[in-house]
Amino acid sequence: MTVERKFLALDRYGAKIEFELRVPTLLIENEGERQYRIAYSKALADGVYPRNKLREVMRLHSMWTDEDDTAMREEIANIAILEIELDQAQLKGENDKCIEISTKMRKHRHRMWELFMIQQSVYMNSVEGIAELVKAESIMAACTVIKATGQRYWPTYLDFVKERDESTISTVYIRAMEIQNELLLKLRN
């Protein structure tokens, strides 16, 4: 399944226009890296902690403990063992055993996901997390072009942010994000 990169949306003036979310070029990737560094520096200046400092704070306040680390490693190990058992059961044609192992795997994956989300929810608010978000948005904004002209819709990342945060008319950001999310989901599968 191919994700359609062309889309219709309302621009900042309310006109329905066809847009395209292009594949990033090296120049756009470099622009994203520059925006990452700017956001990183600004977040540090604003008092946001880097990931390593947040790890310390999480431990200090028992938000993430050595036991949580151990539990995460155990869940990963359990899943790896069960994957081997599942492969063996599949080779032998033991369907009932495959179902039993798959059920166990689902429970371990669920627990691993819970632990991962606890940890990552804090890390998303780190300097690196904020900078990564800005980088991703910057790249997406630079790749959004008006289909008819091939021109960038947002000349700069600041133009993108202004429209995203202030426009009550434009739906370009929303549609571009939907396509970006579809592309990311496709990459995972």
Side-chain angles (χ1 to χ4, degrees):
M1 180 184 95
T2 306
V3 176
E4 179 60 46
R5 291 177 165 271
K6 296 176 185 106
F7 62 96
L8 286 174
L10 297 178
D11 73 0
R12 62 186 65 90
Y13 305 109
K16 190 177 252 185
I17 296 178
E18 186 175 18
F19 294 90
E20 182 178 7
L21 187 63
R22 291 199 173 152
V23 176
T25 63
L26 182 58
L27 184 65
I28 289 173
E29 292 283 347
N30 289 337
E31 183 178 335
E33 286 296 327
R34 187 170 44 82
Q35 290 300 330
Y36 176 97
R37 288 189 293 280
I38 291 167
Y40 189 100
S41 297
K42 183 171 179 353
L44 271 178
D46 289 346
V48 178
Y49 289 141
R51 189 169 277 147
N52 287 335
K53 181 65 177 173
L54 276 177
R55 189 174 292 122
E56 290 175 27
V57 170
M58 287 172 65
R59 289 190 187 284
L60 180 68
H61 294 287
S62 299
M63 294 166 63
W64 187 262
T65 64
D66 290 336
E67 291 79 20
D68 293 323
D69 270 336
T70 301
M72 178 71 99
R73 281 193 301 276
E74 285 175 2
E75 294 302 335
I76 292 168
N78 286 333
I79 292 167
I81 291 166
L82 288 169
E83 284 177 351
I84 292 168
E85 289 178 12
L86 181 62
D87 286 343
Q88 291 171 349
Q90 282 177 324
L91 287 174
K92 293 177 184 174
E94 298 172 331
N95 292 337
D96 290 341
K97 191 166 185 175
C98 287
I99 292 169
E100 176 187 328
I101 293 169
S102 295
T103 302
K104 288 180 185 177
M105 285 176 71
R106 185 169 23 97
K107 289 178 184 173
H108 287 289
R109 282 186 177 137
H110 180 73
R111 178 63 182 140
M112 182 189 74
W113 184 249
E114 285 176 340
L115 291 166
F116 177 78
M117 290 309 294
I118 290 167
Q119 186 183 55
Q120 293 306 306
S121 64
V122 175
Y123 288 158
M124 285 171 43
N125 294 304
S126 69
V127 171
E128 295 89 346
I130 292 167
E132 277 298 327
L133 178 62
V134 167
K135 177 183 171 181
E137 282 185 340
S138 169
I139 290 171
M140 184 201 69
C143 290
T144 303
V145 299
I146 300 169
K147 179 75 173 101
T149 64
Q151 298 282 121
R152 280 175 66 159
Y153 177 64
W154 295 289
T156 68
Y157 179 64
L158 292 176
D159 294 321
F160 163 80
V161 170
K162 183 176 171 102
E163 185 168 319
R164 177 197 68 196
D165 294 349
E166 296 176 9
S167 178
T168 57
I169 299 170
S170 177
T171 60
V172 180
Y173 165 72
I174 294 165
R175 291 291 296 128
M177 280 298 297
E178 289 171 352
I179 290 172
Q180 184 70 15
N181 288 338
E182 286 179 41
L183 290 167
L184 290 173
L185 285 172
K186 186 178 178 225
L187 279 176
R188 284 188 200 152
N189 297 332

